[in-house]
Amino acid sequence: MFSMIKIQNTLKLLLDEESEMFPLVSINEEDFPEMNEFMEIPETVVLLPLRNTVLFPNIVVPVSVGRDKSLKTVKKAHDTNQLIGVITQRSAQVDDPTSKDLYTTGTLARVVKILKLPDDTHTVILQGRQRFVIKKITTLSPYIKAQIQALPEEKEEQTPEFEALMSSLKDSAVRAIELSPQIPNDITFLVRNIDKNAHLTHFICSNLNVPIEEKQKLLEINDLQQRGEKLLGLLHHEIQLLELKNKIQSRVNVEIDKQQRDYFLQQQMKTIQEELGEGASFVGELQNLRERAKQKLMPTAAREAFDKEMRKIQRMNPNMADYTVSLNYLELLLDLPWDEVSQDNLDLKRASKILEDDHYGLDKIKERILEYLAVIKLKGDLKSPILCFVGPPGVGKTSLGRSIARALGRKYVRMSLGGLHDESEVRGHRKTYIGAMPGRILQSLLRVGTSNPVFILDEIDKVGNDFRGDPSSALLEVLDPEQNSTFYDNYLELEYDLSRVMFIATANNLSTIQPALLDRMEIIQLSGYSTEEKIEIAKKHLIPEQREKHGLQPKQFKISDKALAVMIDEYTHESGVRDLERKIAPLMRHIAKLVAMYEETPSKIDVEMVHQVLDISTRMEPERYTGNNAAGVAIGLAWTASGGDILFVETNRSRGKGNLILTGNLGDVMKESATTALSFIKANSKTLGINEDIFSENDLHIHIPEGAIPKDGPSAGVTLLTALVSLLSGQPVKPYLAMSGEITLRGKVLPVGGIKEKILAAQRAGIKEVILCEENRKNVEKINPNFIKNLQFHYVKTMQEVLEIALPSKK
């Protein structure tokens, strides 16, 4: 009640020039005789817009004036002793109001005094005189002027009902003052001594703590009895609030510190606002959370956690840091897709067509996805498999996951694990930490809004491990079909079911993946592409995509298969098609420039134009490793992260004491293969026709070129053996021959991996014959015969067979 009572205390400081204090201002005429001073009411007055104040007749109020236009208005009225029209703005945010921004009913006022305060602001003392209505705004600059019509003073009806109404108003005002401990008791005396009913209503209206819109409505009521009835209703409403406030205060009878005091005041405000049915923003937030929770399907544990956190946050001061933490946690519980799933599309023919359209080849993966769909269609439910696509870059591992999502009709989400070191990135942070948030698994599910998306864990072989934790161990629970139904996130502090998510991991190399993590995934190898496959991929996917990116029409860019083959064989050196796509782009730009300059474009790009546009320095030399005529040189086949490659092994001997020197940045496994080969040769020197004295009188040196590139693995065993035997026997290795296989001291040749990539590398290098382990025959048979028709394969079981093929004189 009575927010304007503070005005009385302010006036004490403003109106007494000598002592800076003055007796309490009354609104009675005998206490303020200037009110009876006659001032002629003009037809046109200067208007003073007020932002958050409604001036009533017979009321004296101080008003802070900040706008230059308003300050000029009051100074002119004060100097000329003229009345001004005080009008209230509809919106306090408007700085330069026009006619549409002002109410039409206001109060004529006299400028009693203008004071400049120490902070260079001005306060104007206004004395309300009579109500008026704006007929027309005449000017807006430099002052707002308007034609007005003065409203007559309200007539007091001398009826018992009217007298009872005024008496009730006075009693209610006194009651409100008594319930407000911050209002001085002498105000009660002031109210009881107001003898004019109109003055009484004006005083109560001015001091009533209601919105400006309500005060303006009271000012616009012409009938005094109607105004009194509406005012009495508002006054009773405020009395109820004050009684409720006192009731809340009576329950608190212990000493409280500042923080407890803030909390208590907030509880008072919240209770009042709940009784009113309206409240501050935080009350609305909590109510919105409750409504959302009623419509949200959550497990029992999540529902209990939500209710517990709601009870906690309701007792919390919104200004506390923990309030935001609890609010974020509640929103996470409501936003998580606990039971929201996308319906699987089980049309196998449609899924097969999508997979065929998006990817050329990859028959094994496509068949695996169709099998998964078939089981779901028959059984109705199946735990999602944890697939791991392994292969060199550019073979379509990540894009294949997007195609699977489209075929299943599921949402698609990708999470890159490359360089991930912190375990909290997977499991989330505990809520007690500053800036805590859920792990990236739950964040990704929040983003897609379903609990069964196709989830790509990209580059799982590049997960880090340091003092911050081991993310690979955290992924064990995520990627275990038997455990991920109870995945625990540190921030959520609840178990979340990930069994419906179809996780697909991608990797370039299995050797860097933690063995326990590898055991939980179904490994699917993606081999490199042959030249013929790359040509088809380029025609079906790469060229149309690049053509669209460069704004060309199909008829403007055509390329022959021979030109594509030249680009693949001579300008790219990869198992995938990523570099091929980069090589197509310059051709597109070349044609785009011709089209933009209105020059003639070729009907079809041929080999000559490919050589003209592409940088000749990037060309591979197919004859690089095939001219092998020196003894002690052999060609091996190696697997790298980017596909297959040729391994050129050189050996030499010099006078020494039988030392073995290895250079070329070799790994431990390859060094052991070299030692094994030398031991086998020493043990079988007579059979191989090698003088035993060579080993004690000479140092043997094995070197593999491109020493800046690390090399490791057992696949070079047969190559190292052949090169050493060739060196020690003086017989060159059979030309255009390459080999791959692991060796043992017993003379056995063991199978190795990456066969398709190695064979494709041999074909690119112009190799004509390849030696492989007998057990690798099945890997070769899976390759399209048309892709390897120029290669002759030799399958061996023993190291002696290798030497008989590579060194014909050893038969």
Side-chain angles (χ1 to χ4, degrees), residues 53-70:
T53 304
V54 176
L55 179 62
F56 286 83
N58 313 115
I59 299 298
V60 177
V61 294
V63 177
S64 295
V65 177
R67 290 180 286 204
D68 292 338
K69 184 184 292 187
S70 299

Side-chain angles (χ1 to χ4, degrees), residues 93-142:
Q93 282 71 37
V94 179
D95 289 328
D96 191 11
T98 60
S99 58
K100 65 180 180 179
D101 300 315
L102 303 174
Y103 288 105
T104 57
T105 302
T107 301
L108 290 169
R110 172 175 170 268
V111 181
V112 178
K113 198 165 190 176
I114 303 176
L115 297 110
K116 185 176 182 181
L117 301 181
D119 59 353
D120 292 333
T121 60
H122 292 78
T123 296
V124 179
I125 309 302
L126 298 176
Q127 176 193 16
R129 301 299 291 267
Q130 188 173 350
R131 298 180 307 122
F132 71 89
V133 174
I134 296 176
K135 296 173 62 178
K136 180 182 180 183
I137 300 291
T138 57
T139 60
L140 293 175
S141 180

Side-chain angles (χ1 to χ4, degrees), residues 126 247 516 665:
L126 298 176
K247 182 179 179 181
N665 202 352

Side-chain angles (χ1 to χ4, degrees), residues 2 43 55 109 232 288 302 319 426 525 535 540 613 650 673 721 738 769 798 801:
F2 287 30
E43 294 183 356
L55 179 62
L232 184 61
N288 181 42
N319 296 320
V426 178
Q525 294 281 351
I535 291 174
K540 292 183 178 181
V613 175
E650 301 174 342
S673 296
L721 171 71
E769 298 180 61
T798 65
E801 293 178 62

Side-chain angles (χ1 to χ4, degrees), residues 523-556:
I523 306 301
I524 298 180
Q525 294 281 351
L526 277 74
S527 303
Y529 298 114
S530 65
T531 299
E532 291 79 4
E533 288 176 317
K534 290 181 180 180
I535 291 174
E536 292 300 320
I537 293 172
K539 290 162 62 177
K540 292 183 178 181
H541 301 286
L542 303 183
I543 292 177
E545 291 174 6
Q546 288 293 324
R547 195 160 49 206
E548 183 178 354
K549 289 180 180 178
H550 289 80
L552 296 175
Q553 300 297 324
K555 63 181 180 181
Q556 294 173 330

Side-chain angles (χ1 to χ4, degrees), residues 568-581:
I568 294 167
D569 293 336
E570 300 184 13
Y571 290 90
T572 64
H573 187 62
E574 59 173 352
S575 293
V577 293
R578 190 169 294 164
D579 195 34
L580 175 59
E581 186 176 16

